[in-house]
Amino acid sequence: AQSVAQPEDQVNVAEGNPLTVKCTYSVSGNPYLFWYVQYPNRGLQFLLKYITGDNLVKGSYGFEAEFNKSQTSFHLKKPTALVSDSALYFCAVSERAGANNLFFGTGTRLTVIP
Amino acid sequence: NAGVTQTPKFQVLKTGQSMTLQCAQDMNHNSMYWYRQDPGMGLRLIYYSASEGTTDKGEVPNGYNVSRLNKREFSLRLESAAPSQTSVYFCASRPAKMIEQFFGPGTRLTVL
């Protein structure tokens, strides 16, 4: 069975500081991992994905994520947080490419404090 | 490109009423999906359509039906709405050669 855990409901960070949003996963095979962002009253926007290869994945808006197989983690990071990064962030996993079942975490609300 | 569009944006129903949520995409994507989003639970897959003419159940299909009308449109029907179906509903689509899904803006449904 596939599952995703986002252990923090809320993350607060000061503007200009680095940010990390945590995600751990469980799948039976090789994982395909995603980060999405949701701004208020909007749909989810795709940020980045990990399929295979380099463990550091770069995505939109300066975000990146680090895949760690031994820790089954896929944490989202950004070197310099902006107030406009404040949003709800979702981690998701599927167990194969093209799979129609995406399993989402419960989301982490990021607040960047000016 | 409008991307993925959903109608209506908001809807209030009484228990037992029926309604259809509409979704359309203009990106020529093969696969389409319906999710519900509830507080503290993330998104859960209701139904999906891997290609035109096919539909399959997701994690939480009870109380819903779907129709893949053509390649562009994928509708979600509540035959007899219940308060437990109060949620935000998202439609998504995915092209054949990509693994990420693209989401619409959502429909906020309240069942009284």
Side-chain angles (χ1 to χ4, degrees):
Chain A
Q2 305 161 73
S3 65
V4 174
Q6 294 182 243
E8 301 159 316
D9 291 335
Q10 173 84 41
V11 170
N12 296 325
V13 63
E15 186 177 22
N17 283 2
L19 69 86
T20 298
V21 182
K22 296 179 180 177
C23 172
T24 59
Y25 66 90
S26 174
V27 295
S28 55
N30 291 323
Y32 296 85
L33 294 155
F34 307 82
W35 276 101
Y36 284 84
V37 60
Q38 184 180 31
Y39 296 100
N41 301 313
R42 303 283 295 276
L44 277 70
Q45 294 180 31
F46 171 74
L47 275 180
L48 52 80
K49 66 187 176 194
Y50 171 82
I51 303 174
T52 187
D54 195 348
N55 289 343
L56 185 64
V57 178
K58 294 191 183 296
S60 306
Y61 313 120
F63 284 93
E64 57 191 27
E66 186 169 11
F67 172 67
N68 188 315
K69 188 172 185 177
S70 62
Q71 297 187 1
T72 62
S73 66
F74 189 55
H75 301 330
L76 182 70
K77 301 182 180 185
K78 189 177 182 187
T80 306
L82 302 174
V83 173
S84 56
D85 294 330
S86 299
L88 188 56
Y89 290 82
F90 289 97
C91 182
V93 66
S94 68
E95 63 181 359
R96 60 179 176 84
N100 289 300
N101 268 342
L102 257 189
F103 288 85
F104 284 84
T106 52
T108 298
R109 185 163 300 282
L110 173 70
T111 300
V112 181
I113 302 163
Chain B
N1 270 358
V4 180
T5 57
Q6 293 183 235
T7 55
K9 285 187 168 48
F10 302 94
Q11 183 71 49
V12 179
L13 293 178
K14 295 180 180 178
T15 297
Q17 287 184 318
S18 63
M19 80 160 295
T20 300
L21 281 65
Q22 306 286 354
C23 174
Q25 52 91 11
D26 61 0
M27 299 177 284
N28 202 35
H29 290 175
N30 288 342
S31 303
M32 297 185 73
Y33 308 83
W34 277 106
Y35 292 88
R36 59 178 289 172
Q37 182 183 27
D38 300 297
M41 300 192 73
L43 276 74
R44 292 180 293 168
L45 183 64
I46 304 171
Y47 270 93
Y48 67 95
S49 170
S51 61
E52 187 179 353
T54 69
T55 61
D56 284 286
K57 295 178 180 179
E59 185 183 353
V60 288
N62 291 347
Y64 305 95
N65 286 303
V66 290
S67 295
R68 184 74 183 267
L69 304 169
N70 47 55
K71 192 170 186 179
R72 288 187 65 247
E73 298 172 292
F74 187 39
S75 62
L76 179 72
R77 183 159 179 84
L78 287 70
E79 291 290 353
S80 179
S84 61
Q85 294 177 304
T86 293
S87 188
V88 181
Y89 291 84
F90 289 101
C91 178
S93 68
R94 180 177 66 83
K97 295 184 177 179
M98 296 177 74
I99 63 170
E100 60 266 34
Q101 298 177 16
F102 297 85
F103 285 79
T107 294
R108 186 174 294 275
L109 175 67
T110 302
V111 183
L112 302 175

